[in-house]
Amino acid sequence: MPDEEELLEEGVVSPVQPDIQDPLLRKLLQAEPATADTPEPRPDKLPEPDDEVDCVVIGTGAGGAPLLARLALAGLRVVALEAGPRHEPRRDFATDEEAQRFLFWNDERLSAGKDPLSFGNNNSGTGVGGSTLHYTAYTPRVQPDDLRIRTEFGVGEDWPLSYEDLAPYYDELEWLLGISGPSPYPWGPARQRGYPLPPLPLNGAAQLMQRACEKLGIRTSPAANAAVSARYYQEGIGWREACTNRGFCQAGCSNGAKASMDVTFIPLAEAHGAEVRADCFVTEIERDAQGRVTGVVYQQHGQQQRQRCRTLFLCAGAVETPRLLLLNELALSSGQVGRNLMAHPGLQLWGTFEEMVRPYKGIPGGLISEDTHRPADADFAGGYLLQSIGVMPVTFASQVARSRGLWGQPLREYLQQYNHVAGINILGDCLPHTDNYLELSEEKDARGLPKPRVHFTNQENEQRMNAHAERVMRRIWEAAGARDIWTFPRSAHVIGTCRMGLSGDDAVVDADGRCFGVPNLYICDNSVFPSALSVNPALTIMALSLRTADRFLEKRQRLDL
């Protein structure tokens, strides 16, 4: 039996109150039927056939939820349609990897190209809160030159807005969400104020990376993270409890410490009259003779429903947003819907250490370095950041099997050293390329709709970036004392497919997110990014969401006058 001190350190794996556990985990532990105590879907008020609301928002993630709250606060009548269910974190988010698979967008997406992308837990989520239910909550800001990659390097596309356009929204979000991070932050422009909360504790991988980078003269810093390091009061919502460092940032946070949309902007929106309808899969966008959107058709609990609206905000992500436009042959005049698909290079490097690391503890990416944002010896455009990484055991076992080809007894023997494993990864820019795009396939899903087929191949720029990053990360891990170093090639964050620009000739939306040619249709998610950026996208998606809402409200007010 482990001693009392170890038990206190490790925490309680199996809570004594089974009523807060996910039904799948209960089935695994107690052999109860998987349907036992499964919460019934919350009944939504059905729309009246002739009822017209001011705005419909499709999707409740980082793109949809902030603008939903902004529109509701302005007094508009707004309805959000979410494809997934509504969850209760304390009841549904068990401390178990397998029990949280329901958070991922598990509908099949077809992958093609030389480097086919993985989906599910890698890129997208479902439920009220969208992908923020299982995002790792890293919230670095872009650096100004991230938005000017064509100006800087002569490749890719510049954004039709500047860092100064986004900075006020970054500042607002960091304080509303309760970002935990270092003040001052070592990279990027100076800020009006620091982060509201101090950084979260560094886990084992972060401490190893910190010591090694110090030897090599590479600057590091605790990462900015949208999990509160202390109890935090969110205006309009109330108190959120501090992070318990249980390590499940890539899944649902059971106590609301992680600033997912379901515990931040969604309750704020609902408190001001917004209606959020869960389990609503939108299939059609209706238009009048002039081409203006008049409403949407969606499926809910096996029934087809219709909701009329004056303005539609499409915030379903870089796969489902273009898919819905292609299905409805909408906003296609530029020929760019589904094009310009990008994915962040996310190469991971792993090593084994003599000391105990316990990679499941704490936030996975506790340490960051942006010294590689524009490397002096780079032979590629753009740049990348470095992050330490922890990992849960099932996820790690899958990566070992796929990357190292270990199965059976060799796999079991390697996994015996799981508690001594630590990793580093990159998150880098990606250039749009004609070979990387999304299309509708002939294969149909369970609803009878064409499945999306996503083509992706790492081009020369991404290949060179990954090679440069591997050399840097190997130096760091060798300096840290790692042995048996190996890499896991991967891509993260599907981006692009409905990019913003200055003209409808080569872009789908303008700088305000408004569709060229469809005046009452807005798109607000990572599909509108003209470039991939060399940072995690969530904070920028939220900033664009608030900015899109503000610009829409300004335009609406001028028209009213």
Side-chain angles (χ1 to χ4, degrees):
M1 284 289 291
D3 59 29
E4 185 177 354
E5 182 180 353
E6 183 176 349
L7 282 173
L8 289 171
E9 180 184 7
E10 294 296 316
V12 180
V13 175
S14 301
V16 295
Q17 294 181 330
D19 58 321
I20 67 171
Q21 293 299 288
D22 179 84
L24 176 56
L25 180 60
R26 183 180 298 171
K27 180 186 178 185
L28 294 172
L29 295 178
Q30 301 179 2
E32 291 184 7
T35 56
D37 296 333
T38 301
E40 292 294 325
R42 179 184 294 190
D44 289 315
K45 181 180 67 176
L46 297 181
E48 296 292 334
D50 296 324
D51 186 34
E52 183 181 57
V53 298
D54 292 315
C55 305
V56 164
V57 178
I58 300 176
T60 59
L67 69 82
L68 178 71
R70 198 72 128 207
L71 300 176
L73 282 161
L76 274 62
R77 189 174 173 213
V78 289
V79 169
L81 302 175
E82 166 58 48
R86 187 184 289 263
H87 302 293
E88 169 49 51
R90 292 187 181 277
R91 180 193 64 209
D92 298 338
F93 298 161
T95 303
D96 181 272
E97 286 181 88
E98 294 299 295
Q100 293 212 40
R101 287 188 177 276
F102 62 83
L103 287 178
F104 310 136
W105 189 285
N106 292 314
D107 286 8
E108 186 177 45
R109 292 161 168 177
L110 306 180
S111 285
K114 294 180 181 177
D115 301 295
L117 299 174
S118 60
F119 292 103
N121 64 349
N122 186 42
N123 275 310
S124 55
T126 183
V128 175
S131 295
T132 68
L133 294 173
H134 72 85
Y135 80 141
T136 44
Y138 305 128
T139 50
R141 298 185 181 193
V142 299
Q143 294 198 33
D145 56 2
D146 272 322
L147 307 175
R148 302 191 305 264
I149 192 166
R150 186 168 189 82
T151 298
E152 297 284 327
F153 295 97
V155 293
E157 291 296 331
D158 289 348
W159 288 51
L161 46 77
S162 68
Y163 177 86
E164 289 70 28
D165 293 318
L166 297 176
Y169 296 105
Y170 285 148
D171 188 72
E172 177 183 349
L173 285 161
E174 286 163 357
W175 281 76
L176 186 144
L177 301 176
I179 303 298
S180 302
S183 298
Y185 188 73
W187 301 278
R191 307 181 183 186
Q192 292 184 347
R193 55 181 175 173
Y195 290 113
L197 291 171
L200 290 153
L202 297 181
N203 64 2
Q207 293 176 41
L208 288 165
M209 177 179 165
Q210 184 182 53
R211 294 198 297 266
C213 285
E214 187 175 356
K215 292 179 184 177
L216 299 173
I218 299 172
R219 291 179 300 167
T220 62
S221 169
N225 194 282
V228 293
S229 58
R231 199 162 183 255
Y232 191 75
Y233 185 78
Q234 181 185 337
E235 187 175 354
I237 300 301
W239 289 97
R240 282 170 46 219
E241 298 303 320
C243 175
T244 59
N245 295 296
R246 66 195 267 271
F248 268 73
C249 307
Q250 290 174 309
C253 179
S254 61
N255 75 334
K258 184 174 75 172
S260 50
M261 298 299 97
D262 60 320
V263 298
T264 54
F265 282 108
I266 294 294
L268 184 61
E270 291 182 318
H272 288 83
E275 182 183 349
V276 177
R277 298 176 191 163
D279 300 298
C280 297
F281 193 97
V282 178
T283 56
E284 297 178 41
I285 299 174
E286 298 182 318
R287 288 155 283 171
D288 61 18
Q290 288 71 45
R292 294 179 63 89
V293 172
T294 59
V296 298
V297 176
Y298 61 94
Q299 297 177 13
Q300 185 184 39
H301 308 315
Q303 300 295 316
Q304 181 172 287
Q305 308 292 347
R306 173 178 281 101
Q307 178 61 64
R308 299 179 65 233
C309 63
R310 298 181 183 90
T311 304
L312 177 63
F313 292 85
L314 181 50
C315 313
V319 174
E320 293 304 315
T321 285
R323 182 193 188 196
L324 190 56
L325 293 177
L326 290 169
L327 284 170
N328 286 273
E329 300 182 349
L330 183 62
L332 305 184
S333 59
S334 68
Q336 299 302 309
V337 171
R339 313 303 299 186
N340 312 302
L341 184 142
M342 298 166 283
H344 280 137
L347 181 72
Q348 295 180 348
L349 183 135
W350 297 95
T352 304
F353 295 84
E354 291 299 323
E355 60 210 273
M356 186 76 77
V357 179
R358 293 178 178 168
Y360 56 88
K361 293 177 70 69
I363 62 168
L367 198 75
I368 193 171
S369 177
E370 291 194 51
D371 273 11
T372 49
H373 175 71
R374 294 290 184 264
D377 60 344
D379 58 351
F380 52 85
Y384 59 91
L385 57 77
L386 295 165
Q387 289 173 329
S388 62
I389 43 173
V391 66
M392 289 292 165
V394 176
T395 300
F396 184 65
S398 171
Q399 294 182 184
V400 172
R402 285 185 287 160
S403 185
R404 306 197 73 176
L406 298 180
W407 303 93
Q409 187 60 30
L411 176 61
R412 286 192 291 270
E413 289 175 358
Y414 179 81
L415 292 177
Q416 296 273 329
Q417 55 195 337
Y418 164 75
N419 275 323
H420 293 265
V421 166
I424 321 177
N425 78 296
I426 71 164
L427 196 143
D429 215 327
C430 177
L431 298 179
H433 193 276
T434 54
D435 288 347
N436 297 334
Y437 62 94
L438 176 147
E439 64 179 352
L440 299 181
S441 71
E442 295 180 358
E443 188 173 330
K444 302 296 176 61
D445 65 12
R447 301 177 183 86
L449 301 174
K451 295 178 181 178
R453 181 186 291 115
V454 178
H455 298 256
F456 186 76
T457 299
N458 281 308
Q459 304 300 322
E460 183 178 2
N461 199 70
E462 291 77 58
Q463 293 170 18
R464 289 182 174 182
M465 183 181 293
N466 277 322
H468 184 281
E470 181 175 349
R471 292 193 296 270
V472 172
M473 291 190 293
R474 280 187 180 275
R475 284 176 55 220
I476 295 172
W477 246 212
E478 287 168 357
R483 57 179 173 82
D484 191 16
I485 297 173
W486 56 280
T487 59
F488 179 64
R490 62 183 285 272
S491 298
H493 306 131
V494 177
I495 294 166
T497 67
C498 293
R499 74 179 177 198
M500 66 168 66
L502 297 174
S503 166
D505 293 337
D506 59 3
V508 180
V509 300
D510 63 18
D512 299 336
R514 188 183 189 188
C515 274
F516 292 109
V518 189
N520 65 337
L521 173 62
Y522 288 76
I523 300 176
C524 190
D525 51 37
N526 56 351
S527 72
V528 305
F529 284 24
S531 67
L533 309 176
S534 58
V535 295
N536 306 74
L539 188 70
T540 299
I541 298 172
M542 294 181 215
L544 282 176
S545 182
L546 293 178
R547 184 179 184 275
T548 296
D550 284 351
R551 301 290 282 183
F552 167 75
L553 291 170
E554 290 168 10
K555 184 183 294 290
R556 189 173 186 273
Q557 187 175 33
R558 289 198 303 271
L559 291 174
D560 287 346
L561 291 175

